[in-house]
Amino acid sequence: MTLWQHLLSTLTTATKTTHSKLPLFKTLLNPYSKPHIFSFFNFHHFSTSFLVTKTPKKFKKKRKKKESPRTKLVQTQPNLSPHLENILHRDAHFRFLTKTKEYLSKQPQQVLLLDEAGKLHQQLGFPRGRKVSKFIQNHPLLFDVYRHTDNKMWIGFSEFMEGLLLEERKIMDQMEVERVNVVRKLLMMSVNKKISLSKIHHNRLLFGIPDDFRDRVVRFPEHFKVVVEEDGKRVLELVNWDPTLAVSALQKEFMIDEDKVKKAFKFAVKHGKALDLDEDDERKLNMLNTLPLVSPYSDGSKFDLWTLEAEKYRVGVIHEFLSLTLEKRAYIHNIVEFKEEFSLTKHTYQMLLKQPRTFYLAGTEMNWCVFLKDAYGEDGVLIKKDPQLVFNEKLYRCAEMKDLGSSDDGSKK
């Protein structure tokens, strides 16, 4: 018999015999009452520390932490496209290569002290606290680390990389007219037909614009005028309007495949269930709202901010903006930088989510990237590639190689 069973038996017997008229709770509340049934156990010296009074942590239900916008993916199954999401992983993988290439290209003699490079984690694209030398070693075909006559370690481009940079400069020169037209179209879409030169330069890689574009614009006085504003900011202004350029990619597509363009966007008409519309009738009703589309080259500032026409205009501007980029995609920071010029609002993210037929938003809610879906095949490969993009892909392949004869895993090319 256990201790508790013995206690219960004794308590029951004592209650029935000696204290049958005395309530049990009084006996418990008065340990000195006679007969004292607990005296045998010396209960006031009995420890209850072994009793479990709280639920152990391992049995408690864990609350699910609310996922942060920094890590929460925009897309979920079955809408998630692994091919397009992998493009963002590639961006992160080659961030050091892209940023270091740009930074070194601007340095005197295109070299940098190794000690100084270790402090430039943001400019060179590697995590704070990590050794820059380890990232350089990942691309031995493109970067060299050497000891100069001053007995200091320096970083520079390899001879092979210098050849690639020369090849890229030739592409920039060949594509100059196309890049000029891209900038002209951006200016024609902007509210006041002008954009800060610093914004264009900051987003130059998005459009394949050369680094020295700010110096090249003076060669095109028939298209551009550089104005220095009161705050010292240099602004690029459009000199003349070209109606042949004021034709959007959607308008060109409409001439080829009218039905495809009609289905590109959906601006639904709200209606009650009492109408009892079938799918075809609902599509026709929505079409009344969707068409006509608003040209991105119209004056967006004249639209009332929350009207249907204003939203159609902003959707069209984003579409045309993406069509001018090399990879038909752009990150949130690229789009937000032109917020004032293109009359965009803080609700751009929600606006794009409502148009899944045309746009695909990849990445996380805090750092998303929007793609033009029709520009990519089912395998996630861009259908039409700009010469600059072909060069970039070649550079990425070389970055993965340890030498000219093999890839990073040792397999022969």
Side-chain angles (χ1 to χ4, degrees), residues 40 304 317 374 380:
F40 175 78
D304 291 335
V317 164
D374 289 344

Side-chain angles (χ1 to χ4, degrees), residues 17 124 224 372:
T17 56
L124 301 184
F224 308 118
L372 279 182

Side-chain angles (χ1 to χ4, degrees), residues 275-287:
L275 288 178
D276 193 25
L277 299 177
D278 59 22
E279 186 177 345
D280 187 56
D281 290 336
E282 189 173 351
R283 182 183 61 82
K284 290 178 180 179
L285 182 63
N286 291 335
M287 198 63 68

Side-chain angles (χ1 to χ4, degrees), residues 31-223:
Y32 300 103
S33 62
K34 292 183 180 181
H36 187 195
I37 62 173
F38 298 124
S39 59
F40 175 78
F41 301 102
N42 198 12
F43 200 74
H44 59 283
H45 292 300
F46 189 78
S47 174
T48 59
S49 61
F50 67 92
L51 294 176
V52 178
T53 57
K54 293 183 179 180
T55 306
K57 287 185 178 180
K58 63 180 179 180
F59 294 120
K60 287 184 178 180
K61 289 184 178 180
K62 293 183 178 179
R63 292 183 180 178
K64 288 186 178 180
K65 291 184 179 180
K66 190 176 181 181
E67 199 167 358
S68 168
R70 189 183 298 274
T71 57
K72 186 177 181 181
L73 295 178
V74 175
Q75 302 291 348
T76 56
Q77 294 292 358
N79 300 320
L80 190 140
S81 170
H83 296 299
L84 298 183
E85 298 287 345
N86 284 337
I87 293 176
L88 305 195
H89 297 318
R90 186 202 65 187
D91 290 347
H93 181 68
F94 291 112
R95 182 175 292 117
F96 174 78
L97 168 64
T98 305
K99 289 202 165 189
T100 302
K101 169 179 167 285
E102 288 297 310
Y103 192 84
L104 266 183
S105 298
K106 299 174 186 177
Q107 300 306 305
Q109 300 180 355
Q110 297 184 336
V111 293
L112 183 66
L113 270 171
L114 183 61
D115 290 342
E116 290 296 323
K119 304 173 185 176
L120 302 173
H121 61 92
Q122 189 171 5
Q123 293 86 340
L124 301 184
F126 65 94
R128 181 194 293 269
R130 303 286 294 276
K131 290 186 177 181
V132 67
S133 57
K134 289 186 177 180
F135 289 87
I136 296 172
Q137 291 168 6
N138 291 335
H139 312 298
L141 204 60
L142 307 181
F143 301 109
D144 279 340
V145 178
Y146 61 93
R147 189 178 297 277
H148 198 51
T149 53
D150 58 4
N151 206 33
K152 294 181 180 179
M153 301 300 293
W154 292 76
I155 305 171
F157 292 126
S158 67
E159 187 176 346
F160 178 76
M161 181 63 168
E162 289 177 350
L164 289 176
L165 293 176
L166 182 61
E167 180 182 339
E168 184 180 32
R169 280 194 289 272
K170 289 179 180 179
I171 294 174
M172 293 284 188
D173 293 337
Q174 293 169 0
M175 300 297 294
E176 185 178 59
V177 175
E178 286 78 1
R179 304 303 183 240
V180 166
N181 285 337
V182 166
V183 176
R184 290 173 68 192
K185 288 172 79 70
L186 289 172
L187 290 171
M188 290 169 68
M189 282 196 296
S190 62
V191 174
N192 297 315
K193 310 300 177 280
K194 62 181 182 179
I195 301 176
S196 167
L197 266 173
S198 61
K199 285 187 180 182
I200 296 174
H201 183 263
H202 187 251
N203 293 277
R204 66 191 182 282
L205 298 181
L206 197 64
F207 305 100
I209 298 172
D211 182 59
D212 60 348
F213 182 77
R214 288 175 289 190
D215 300 323
R216 296 190 185 212
V217 293
V218 296
R219 303 211 305 260
F220 301 94
E222 69 278 17
H223 300 318

Side-chain angles (χ1 to χ4, degrees), residues 248-254 257-267 286-298 303 308-317 319 355 358:
S248 68
L250 278 175
Q251 288 174 301
K252 293 177 182 178
E253 185 69 26
F254 188 83
D257 192 342
E258 182 177 333
D259 290 335
K260 181 180 177 182
V261 175
K262 285 181 177 179
K263 297 176 182 177
F265 303 112
K266 179 182 177 181
F267 295 93
N286 291 335
M287 198 63 68
L288 296 175
N289 238 11
T290 304
L291 298 177
L293 298 174
V294 179
S295 172
Y297 295 98
S298 55
F303 298 114
L308 176 62
E309 287 73 18
E311 185 172 352
K312 289 161 71 172
Y313 163 77
R314 289 192 290 267
V315 167
V317 164
H319 187 283
Q355 306 295 340
T358 299

